[in-house]
Amino acid sequence: MKKIIFASAVVMALGLASCTEYLDINQDPNAPSEKDVSTDMILPAVEMNLAVTYGDYLRITGGYYSQIYAHQFGTSNYVDYSQFKMSATRSSGSYTQLYQKVILNAQTIIEKSEAAEDWGTYLAAVTLRAFALQALVDVYGEIPYTEALDPANLTPKYDEGIDIYKGVIAELDNALSKAVGSMPVATSFLFKGEKADKWIEFANSLKFKMLMRMGDVATAQALVDEDNFISDDVKMAGCWKNEAQQESPFYGEEFSTLGGSTQINVVANLAIIGTMQQKDAGGNIVYQDPRLVKYFTTNKSKEYTGNISGTNMSTASEPFNTTDYWCRPVASFDMPVYLLTVSEIDFFLAEYYAIAGDAAKAAANYEAAIKASCATNGLKAADAATILAQYPYDNSKYKECIGIQKWIALAGVNPFEAYCEVRRLDYPAFDTTLKGSDMYAGKGALNVSAYKPGTLYTPYNVDAELGDNKLLERWPYPESSQSRNNKTPKFKGYDTPIFWGE
Amino acid sequence: MRKILLMMTAVLCAGLAYAQDVQVSGIATSAEDGSPMPAVAVAVQGTGRGVTTDLDGVYSITVPSNGTLVFSFLGYDDAVVPVNGRTVINVALQPGSIMIDDVVITAMGISKAEKAIGYAATTIKADDIVAARTTNVANALAGKVAGVQIQSTSTDPGASSNIIIRGFNSISGSNQPLYVVDGVPLQNTVSYSGEKSTALGGISNIASEDIESMTILKGAAATALYGSRAANGVVVITTKNGKKGQGRNYQIAYSGGLQVRQVSVFPELQNEFGQGWNGTQTFIENGSWGPALDGSTQVYGPIWNNQQRIHEYSAVPTNVKDFFDLGISNNHSVSLSGVSDDTKMTYYLSYSYSKDDGIMPYDHDLYKRNTIAYRSTYQAAKWLKLSSSMNFARAKSDVVSTFQGASVIDGLYEFPRDMSIYDLRDLSVAFNTPEAYLTPYGITNPYWAIENNYNHNDSKQVFGKMQVDINPFKDLTLTYRMGFDYTDYDRKIGYPEIALDDALIQEDYGYAPSNMNQSGYVIANYGRSYETNHDFLANYSKKMDALDLGVVLGVNINERASTGMTGETDALTFESGFWDLSNGSTKTAIEEAQSKRRLVGAFADINLGWNDILFLELTARNDWSSTLPIGANHYFYPGATLSWLFSNMLENDDVLSHGKFRLAYGKTGNDAPAYRTSASYVQGFANGYYYSSIAQFPMNGTNAFIKGATLGSTDLSPEMTTELETGLNLEFFKGRLGFDITFYNRTTDDLIFSLPVDPATGYQRMYTNFGSIGNKGFEFVLNLTPVQTSDFRWDIGFNFSKNWNKVLSLPEGLDGGKSIINSFSAGDDAVYVYAEEGKPLGQFYTYLPTYTDDGKIIVGTDGQPILTKEVKDTGKSMQNDWTGGITTSLSYKGITLSSVLDIRYGGYMFSRTKNLMQFTGNGVATLYNDRKPFVIPNSVVEVADGVYVDNETPIYLANSSYQDYFNNYGACLGGEFYLIDRSFAKIRNISLSYEFPKSAIKPLALSGLSMTAFCNNPFVWTAKTNRYIDPETTSYADDGDLGAQFGELYSNPACRTFGFNINLTF
């Protein structure tokens, strides 16, 4: 017996001694270790998440809210957007994706590249982070910023939009001060194999866009003088495949069947169609924007038809209650996701010079913007001339000229940015004499003949709290923040503009 | 009991008298048929000494000449016989009339006298388990145990079951008990797919005929010795061991039966309006919002190849019901059990087969299981005993998924009321396939869906133990036990491609069938998981005069691991039927998942008994877990129980035959899930809106990683459950009337929780310890035998339990101290269920109508209610108010009629089926005001700030506001319209059995023959407002057992089973 007790004691002692080692197995075998993950491995995922949120959800909502898109007959996935409604839950996933996947991982790259003094990669991460933060401010107005990204603080306070803009610009300035054009940058989809020079142009252009949103032309002057803006559109292109989970996101979401969805939702809005293809009283086409064919497909009868905001026409008469009556956006699996286009920078320059009182330079940049827009869409100078003949620049109405043309230029490439700029420039303006309910009675036919090109209209069915002749100026704070963070401010109301729209 | 008291006094006196020892021998027989009874325990009262009878019922024992022998055998009354100097004592044991179970198998497979236990433990015997005739034995407990809620996730074949003991303790972890079979913990392996959970291993693979008894240990004190995993209670299963037959040393038993399954609960459908939308007839709509049915002849569906279908525009009341067929199931089991001639060895070998066919047509919902079990014990030497148990199981299941899409149930519930589904069986007709189906709006012919969707599971399980018991000297037993459970599964899911080009469609009425196009996919998922346990136990017991001492010291080393790999491919080449990864033309996703965890526990258990009156048990355990931060990975928890058999102190009387008071205090610690102590990276992906993971790396030859959405914590500590329990057990009139009442108060602190956080922190969730949840309540059990004669007996059992569940605290900063458990959102609708401080776990929130101060409904200019912009508290919770059960059995000369009623009262759940009934216009609720225009009663519209006038805007069909009233405004209830009362009363089982008299079957060389006819779930009563589903159904099984309480999403209807069974013993 003594032997047994002795043997047991030995076994127990040995057991306990090796216990620590025996139990030290809590490293997830399915995850690479933190120290082995390099910035090369993170940057493409940051870009991809930004491209997906920006090029899919924000594109769709921006399109509905700026009357570029309307809803297909019969389905109802986005009818609320076409009624200028937004709920806290609807945008929650995108807020989450931008913060958790884009901003956090960009922050990781910033920390890693700062430690390695890899300033080219540092600038790239700061720029992408700035881009995502700006997009969030542009819909919510206020978001957590100074107290964000701190797991020790579960209730980060919301900062004012203007302060976030200023903070982000300071971050860009800091990164720009460290980066030199010849520096290498981690693996990227946006600028493959490029050095930091492309990122410097992108950062400058983004900063310029933000300063113009802020109306801070004084600060913008140095950038204009330096004139080191993007010379090519910044876009995610060439990385898409015609396979599940590899398609350009807007196409994957709304056109492809690979994701399991069979719903067709997004069709052209009568406002954008009526502006890009103008008809006389007899129904003859008197003007057609050359970009129309690049933006929208024709319907079954080879015509351009735009539906009305605010309804899915479920009670309309034929042919309005058929799916093939409506035109859909041109989309393909490899369509680029545009983050920033040369045309936008030119429009901002036109605006800059208009404010500065230099009408000639303003006009020149307005023309350059339209040419750049045509170039983006694979069109020629002659096409730009057609547009300019119809919409010449008028410095006395610079906001209206720029507003309408920017809306058109962005309609096919970046409807989200169109939504932002329409809110800021207040053009296209609402036709206060024509409501959606004047064009469609809730049943029967849709009559678009009273629509005036270059205007917006109150949707047939509009969110009662927003009211008539108004854009949805801001979104309710996202549910994923509201329900978990008691520092979420009181909602300012759907018609309260973001600081740059005041 | 009176006798026992008498004898005890006698023995105590005898002890003082120093009587002379004599050798007594004899034979024990059954009073029922006079057959010899082997393995009867023969004990010398008051000494702890004892022997067992051999195969021929013979025993021999040394006993003081004035001593007393106690003969006991499970299921028989104890025979207490004073020796009075005799040397030969033969006894005939009477079949049991005392209802209290004498022996309870407790922690670590140690059996204890029931009297010594200071906590509530309920044992269900083999007969009751077999009588329930459920393929998954967990379901056999339903309605029988106070405070235990058994919830089958559905009545589909092979569906898994959740067991919740004394309420929910954990918000994000499992609330399932630990299953222990013959001392060996089993894994609870469940497969989730298509919103279904299918049992792959664990308890579901144990044939009910192999089970001797099941004991449910509820309290923390009872479960402390099992360690961390017992925090939610333990289900202890004892299997059958080798037994002698009648007149020979083996017996063969056969049990077999046939069952027929039939739909029981079904949504109530309207029969007045037909296919259409907004009151107008359309030919391709997926619902019945059309004009009133008038019996006229109408066309419907698209024009395909110059053909169109016609039908009579009148109701087909049973069209949906007609789709289902009877599921014919059968089961067989045969066992050979025996004891070697020298009685040193026992063996038990069994084979069982079960086939369950569900209510879906053909064999598309099918569960098949084969099991083989072998158990043996061998007394190698006086001091050495070897035991082993080996169990093999193979289960195959075909599941009919219930999720939206081209799914069966969605296709049925959205089917217009004026058409016959049964006539769509022939899939060679284009009109019965997506090519020209009567609606292209997201649904298709259920017959086509059932034929072309595939969801198959094939699992194998091996489990068992090897055990050595050594008695180095008297009173000490050293045990080593190695337990193992290995489960392996193959799963294939196939989703057909639909690729239509509308070439033959002449008229699609505005929405072409090609809108149904889908790329299809194949998912292959292979996995395995294992668990091993090494137990070292030292068990010392000693009787010292009035004092009984028992000490158990032990160490448990546990390892659990799983590995899985999933491949997926899309854009199928063969549209359907070839479910292989090579079928995909575009992409093959490969994912792997591995997990391993270890736990080492050391424990001690000391039992002190005094004079059979007072029993004190002290337990303590320390665990070391691999899932906790390495520097702080151990935790200690103690327990103590007291049991006072006051009836043993009382003067003997005819009224009170047993009285016991219990008091128990216990703690149980619970560690974290694996790999939650650090942040981790995952392969890069991005989500679209409806299309999740719309981008998945590698992309274009580039791979990437991002930080996972959940942040681990380096300072996780274990959850601690503390429970205080007290109970009183009284029996009167020799067990004819007995009741047991238990009060408990349980608190779980430092919950390990993946807390949803503002993504601005950089994460969606964070692992952390926070908050506490309390469950307190009482359980009441009453057993009554109103009539008992030699031929007739009537037993009734009632059980009632009430649990008050409350979230005691949640961290500050969470909005209003609440955290989300589950949710549903679609378009503008959203229903959330929260854990909220100060409220029962699972509070429903949704958009609600707004009212003026004087209680009028505020509507907009469109005449529809204005709903709140944010989700509001409905004041409704997922928790039942109380639960109860009634069991009854009447027996007359071998005929037994028994029944079990299970009642759950109160609480709410989310029901998508309910919502779907209004969305499609198929439900009876859509007949409101005969679908004529109406103005919402008592409603006002705001004309200026705070100024309201009576609303006069009507709701009517033509402008779609009538439909919107139901679909967008919840018929003036907002999102609350999704909720249904989850109360039900369900007869779980009615069975009528006949046991043939021994004399009648002797000529057939049988020692037992019984036949049973039964019906499971024959009736379900639901709340008046629930016209939709069986509220026991859940379809959120993969959201955990608490998350699954949320409700149902397109669940298949419930069913009832009729069956017949025969049992033969040779």
Short mmCIF file of all heavy atoms in Angstrom, two decimals, chain B residues 439-470:
data_model
loop_
_atom_site.label_atom_id
_atom_site.label_comp_id
_atom_site.label_asym_id
_atom_site.label_seq_id
_atom_site.Cartn_x
_atom_site.Cartn_y
_atom_site.Cartn_z
N THR B 439 -45.54 31.14 -60.33
CA THR B 439 -45.02 32.42 -59.87
C THR B 439 -43.50 32.40 -59.92
O THR B 439 -42.88 31.39 -59.59
CB THR B 439 -45.49 32.76 -58.44
OG1 THR B 439 -44.85 33.95 -58.00
CG2 THR B 439 -45.19 31.64 -57.47
N PRO B 440 -42.89 33.49 -60.37
CA PRO B 440 -41.43 33.56 -60.35
C PRO B 440 -40.92 34.40 -59.18
O PRO B 440 -39.76 34.77 -59.15
CB PRO B 440 -41.11 34.24 -61.68
CG PRO B 440 -42.29 35.16 -61.91
CD PRO B 440 -43.48 34.61 -61.15
N TYR B 441 -41.80 34.72 -58.23
CA TYR B 441 -41.40 35.61 -57.14
C TYR B 441 -40.70 34.87 -56.01
O TYR B 441 -41.19 34.77 -54.89
CB TYR B 441 -42.60 36.38 -56.60
CG TYR B 441 -43.09 37.44 -57.55
CD1 TYR B 441 -44.28 37.29 -58.25
CD2 TYR B 441 -42.35 38.62 -57.74
CE1 TYR B 441 -44.72 38.27 -59.14
CE2 TYR B 441 -42.79 39.60 -58.61
CZ TYR B 441 -43.96 39.42 -59.31
OH TYR B 441 -44.39 40.38 -60.17
N GLY B 442 -39.56 34.31 -56.31
CA GLY B 442 -38.71 33.75 -55.26
C GLY B 442 -39.10 32.38 -54.74
O GLY B 442 -38.40 31.80 -53.93
N ILE B 443 -40.22 31.86 -55.15
CA ILE B 443 -40.57 30.52 -54.69
C ILE B 443 -40.81 29.62 -55.89
O ILE B 443 -41.03 30.08 -57.01
CB ILE B 443 -41.83 30.49 -53.79
CG1 ILE B 443 -43.04 31.04 -54.55
CG2 ILE B 443 -41.59 31.24 -52.50
CD1 ILE B 443 -44.35 30.64 -53.93
N THR B 444 -40.75 28.35 -55.64
CA THR B 444 -41.00 27.42 -56.72
C THR B 444 -41.81 26.24 -56.21
O THR B 444 -42.15 26.18 -55.03
CB THR B 444 -39.67 26.98 -57.37
OG1 THR B 444 -39.97 26.18 -58.52
CG2 THR B 444 -38.84 26.18 -56.41
N ASN B 445 -42.14 25.35 -57.11
CA ASN B 445 -42.93 24.18 -56.75
C ASN B 445 -42.25 23.39 -55.63
O ASN B 445 -41.11 22.95 -55.79
CB ASN B 445 -43.06 23.31 -58.02
CG ASN B 445 -43.89 22.07 -57.77
OD1 ASN B 445 -44.38 21.83 -56.67
ND2 ASN B 445 -44.04 21.27 -58.82
N PRO B 446 -42.92 23.21 -54.50
CA PRO B 446 -42.29 22.48 -53.39
C PRO B 446 -41.84 21.07 -53.80
O PRO B 446 -40.85 20.58 -53.28
CB PRO B 446 -43.37 22.41 -52.33
CG PRO B 446 -44.35 23.47 -52.68
CD PRO B 446 -44.26 23.69 -54.16
N TYR B 447 -42.58 20.45 -54.73
CA TYR B 447 -42.15 19.11 -55.18
C TYR B 447 -40.82 19.21 -55.92
O TYR B 447 -39.98 18.33 -55.80
CB TYR B 447 -43.20 18.49 -56.11
CG TYR B 447 -44.41 17.98 -55.38
CD1 TYR B 447 -45.61 18.69 -55.41
CD2 TYR B 447 -44.37 16.78 -54.68
CE1 TYR B 447 -46.73 18.23 -54.74
CE2 TYR B 447 -45.49 16.31 -54.00
CZ TYR B 447 -46.66 17.04 -54.04
OH TYR B 447 -47.76 16.58 -53.38
N TRP B 448 -40.67 20.29 -56.68
CA TRP B 448 -39.40 20.49 -57.39
C TRP B 448 -38.29 20.78 -56.37
O TRP B 448 -37.19 20.26 -56.46
CB TRP B 448 -39.54 21.64 -58.38
CG TRP B 448 -38.33 21.81 -59.25
CD1 TRP B 448 -38.08 21.19 -60.44
CD2 TRP B 448 -37.18 22.62 -58.97
NE1 TRP B 448 -36.85 21.58 -60.92
CE2 TRP B 448 -36.27 22.44 -60.05
CE3 TRP B 448 -36.82 23.46 -57.92
CZ2 TRP B 448 -35.04 23.09 -60.09
CZ3 TRP B 448 -35.59 24.11 -57.97
CH2 TRP B 448 -34.72 23.92 -59.06
N ALA B 449 -38.61 21.62 -55.40
CA ALA B 449 -37.61 22.00 -54.39
C ALA B 449 -37.14 20.78 -53.60
O ALA B 449 -35.96 20.60 -53.34
CB ALA B 449 -38.18 23.06 -53.45
N ILE B 450 -38.08 19.93 -53.25
CA ILE B 450 -37.71 18.78 -52.41
C ILE B 450 -36.87 17.79 -53.21
O ILE B 450 -36.00 17.12 -52.69
CB ILE B 450 -38.98 18.12 -51.82
CG1 ILE B 450 -38.63 17.39 -50.53
CG2 ILE B 450 -39.65 17.18 -52.78
CD1 ILE B 450 -39.83 16.98 -49.75
N GLU B 451 -37.11 17.74 -54.49
CA GLU B 451 -36.39 16.81 -55.35
C GLU B 451 -35.00 17.35 -55.70
O GLU B 451 -34.08 16.58 -55.94
CB GLU B 451 -37.21 16.62 -56.65
CG GLU B 451 -36.87 15.39 -57.44
CD GLU B 451 -37.10 14.10 -56.69
OE1 GLU B 451 -38.16 13.97 -56.04
OE2 GLU B 451 -36.21 13.24 -56.73
N ASN B 452 -34.84 18.65 -55.70
CA ASN B 452 -33.60 19.23 -56.21
C ASN B 452 -32.70 19.88 -55.17
O ASN B 452 -31.63 20.36 -55.51
CB ASN B 452 -33.92 20.25 -57.32
CG ASN B 452 -34.37 19.55 -58.58
OD1 ASN B 452 -33.57 18.99 -59.31
ND2 ASN B 452 -35.68 19.54 -58.81
N ASN B 453 -33.14 19.91 -53.91
CA ASN B 453 -32.25 20.39 -52.86
C ASN B 453 -31.74 19.19 -52.10
O ASN B 453 -32.47 18.20 -51.92
CB ASN B 453 -32.99 21.33 -51.90
CG ASN B 453 -33.17 22.71 -52.48
OD1 ASN B 453 -32.27 23.52 -52.48
ND2 ASN B 453 -34.36 22.97 -53.01
N TYR B 454 -30.54 19.27 -51.64
CA TYR B 454 -29.93 18.11 -51.01
C TYR B 454 -29.24 18.54 -49.73
O TYR B 454 -28.54 19.55 -49.69
CB TYR B 454 -28.90 17.53 -51.98
CG TYR B 454 -28.25 16.24 -51.54
CD1 TYR B 454 -28.95 15.04 -51.56
CD2 TYR B 454 -26.92 16.23 -51.13
CE1 TYR B 454 -28.34 13.86 -51.18
CE2 TYR B 454 -26.29 15.04 -50.75
CZ TYR B 454 -27.02 13.87 -50.78
OH TYR B 454 -26.41 12.70 -50.40
N ASN B 455 -29.47 17.81 -48.67
CA ASN B 455 -28.82 18.12 -47.39
C ASN B 455 -28.69 16.81 -46.63
O ASN B 455 -29.63 16.30 -46.05
CB ASN B 455 -29.68 19.12 -46.61
CG ASN B 455 -28.95 19.65 -45.38
OD1 ASN B 455 -28.08 18.97 -44.82
ND2 ASN B 455 -29.31 20.83 -44.95
N HIS B 456 -27.51 16.24 -46.70
CA HIS B 456 -27.31 14.89 -46.18
C HIS B 456 -26.19 14.88 -45.15
O HIS B 456 -25.13 15.46 -45.36
CB HIS B 456 -26.97 13.96 -47.34
CG HIS B 456 -26.80 12.53 -46.91
ND1 HIS B 456 -27.85 11.67 -46.74
CD2 HIS B 456 -25.68 11.83 -46.61
CE1 HIS B 456 -27.40 10.48 -46.36
NE2 HIS B 456 -26.08 10.55 -46.27
N ASN B 457 -26.44 14.22 -44.05
CA ASN B 457 -25.45 14.03 -43.00
C ASN B 457 -25.19 12.56 -42.80
O ASN B 457 -26.12 11.76 -42.80
CB ASN B 457 -26.00 14.53 -41.65
CG ASN B 457 -25.80 15.99 -41.48
OD1 ASN B 457 -24.70 16.47 -41.57
ND2 ASN B 457 -26.90 16.70 -41.24
N ASP B 458 -23.96 12.23 -42.59
CA ASP B 458 -23.61 10.84 -42.35
C ASP B 458 -22.60 10.86 -41.21
O ASP B 458 -21.50 11.40 -41.38
CB ASP B 458 -22.97 10.31 -43.65
CG ASP B 458 -22.86 8.80 -43.63
OD1 ASP B 458 -23.02 8.22 -42.55
OD2 ASP B 458 -22.60 8.24 -44.70
N SER B 459 -22.98 10.35 -40.07
CA SER B 459 -22.06 10.44 -38.95
C SER B 459 -21.80 9.09 -38.31
O SER B 459 -22.64 8.19 -38.38
CB SER B 459 -22.58 11.42 -37.90
OG SER B 459 -23.70 10.87 -37.26
N LYS B 460 -20.62 8.97 -37.77
CA LYS B 460 -20.23 7.75 -37.08
C LYS B 460 -19.71 8.14 -35.71
O LYS B 460 -19.04 9.16 -35.58
CB LYS B 460 -19.13 7.02 -37.85
CG LYS B 460 -19.63 6.24 -39.04
CD LYS B 460 -18.74 6.38 -40.23
CE LYS B 460 -19.22 7.53 -41.10
NZ LYS B 460 -18.40 7.88 -42.20
N GLN B 461 -20.02 7.33 -34.74
CA GLN B 461 -19.57 7.65 -33.40
C GLN B 461 -19.08 6.37 -32.72
O GLN B 461 -19.69 5.32 -32.86
CB GLN B 461 -20.73 8.25 -32.59
CG GLN B 461 -20.32 8.71 -31.19
CD GLN B 461 -21.51 9.18 -30.37
OE1 GLN B 461 -22.65 8.94 -30.74
NE2 GLN B 461 -21.24 9.81 -29.25
N VAL B 462 -17.98 6.49 -32.03
CA VAL B 462 -17.47 5.40 -31.20
C VAL B 462 -17.28 5.99 -29.83
O VAL B 462 -16.65 7.03 -29.69
CB VAL B 462 -16.11 4.88 -31.70
CG1 VAL B 462 -15.65 3.71 -30.85
CG2 VAL B 462 -16.17 4.50 -33.15
N PHE B 463 -17.86 5.36 -28.82
CA PHE B 463 -17.58 5.85 -27.47
C PHE B 463 -17.61 4.70 -26.49
O PHE B 463 -18.13 3.63 -26.79
CB PHE B 463 -18.57 6.94 -27.06
CG PHE B 463 -19.99 6.48 -26.88
CD1 PHE B 463 -20.47 6.08 -25.64
CD2 PHE B 463 -20.86 6.43 -27.96
CE1 PHE B 463 -21.77 5.66 -25.47
CE2 PHE B 463 -22.17 6.01 -27.80
CZ PHE B 463 -22.63 5.62 -26.56
N GLY B 464 -17.04 4.96 -25.34
CA GLY B 464 -17.03 3.91 -24.34
C GLY B 464 -15.99 4.16 -23.29
O GLY B 464 -15.54 5.30 -23.10
N LYS B 465 -15.63 3.09 -22.61
CA LYS B 465 -14.67 3.26 -21.53
C LYS B 465 -13.94 1.97 -21.27
O LYS B 465 -14.36 0.88 -21.68
CB LYS B 465 -15.40 3.68 -20.25
CG LYS B 465 -16.27 2.57 -19.67
CD LYS B 465 -16.70 2.89 -18.25
CE LYS B 465 -17.51 1.72 -17.68
NZ LYS B 465 -18.01 1.98 -16.35
N MET B 466 -12.82 2.10 -20.58
CA MET B 466 -12.11 0.97 -20.02
C MET B 466 -11.86 1.34 -18.57
O MET B 466 -11.43 2.46 -18.29
CB MET B 466 -10.80 0.74 -20.75
CG MET B 466 -11.01 0.09 -22.09
SD MET B 466 -9.53 0.14 -23.07
CE MET B 466 -9.80 1.58 -24.02
N GLN B 467 -12.11 0.42 -17.69
CA GLN B 467 -12.02 0.77 -16.28
C GLN B 467 -11.39 -0.36 -15.48
O GLN B 467 -11.68 -1.53 -15.72
CB GLN B 467 -13.43 1.08 -15.75
CG GLN B 467 -13.46 1.51 -14.31
CD GLN B 467 -14.83 2.03 -13.89
OE1 GLN B 467 -15.58 2.56 -14.71
NE2 GLN B 467 -15.16 1.87 -12.63
N VAL B 468 -10.54 0.02 -14.57
CA VAL B 468 -9.93 -0.95 -13.66
C VAL B 468 -10.27 -0.51 -12.24
O VAL B 468 -10.08 0.66 -11.89
CB VAL B 468 -8.40 -0.95 -13.80
CG1 VAL B 468 -7.78 -2.02 -12.91
CG2 VAL B 468 -7.99 -1.16 -15.24
N ASP B 469 -10.79 -1.46 -11.45
CA ASP B 469 -11.04 -1.17 -10.04
C ASP B 469 -10.17 -2.10 -9.20
O ASP B 469 -10.18 -3.31 -9.41
CB ASP B 469 -12.50 -1.42 -9.67
CG ASP B 469 -13.42 -0.43 -10.34
OD1 ASP B 469 -13.43 0.73 -9.92
OD2 ASP B 469 -14.10 -0.82 -11.32
N ILE B 470 -9.44 -1.52 -8.29
CA ILE B 470 -8.54 -2.31 -7.44
C ILE B 470 -8.94 -2.09 -5.99
O ILE B 470 -9.16 -0.94 -5.56
CB ILE B 470 -7.08 -1.85 -7.64
CG1 ILE B 470 -6.67 -2.08 -9.10
CG2 ILE B 470 -6.14 -2.58 -6.68
CD1 ILE B 470 -5.37 -1.43 -9.47
#
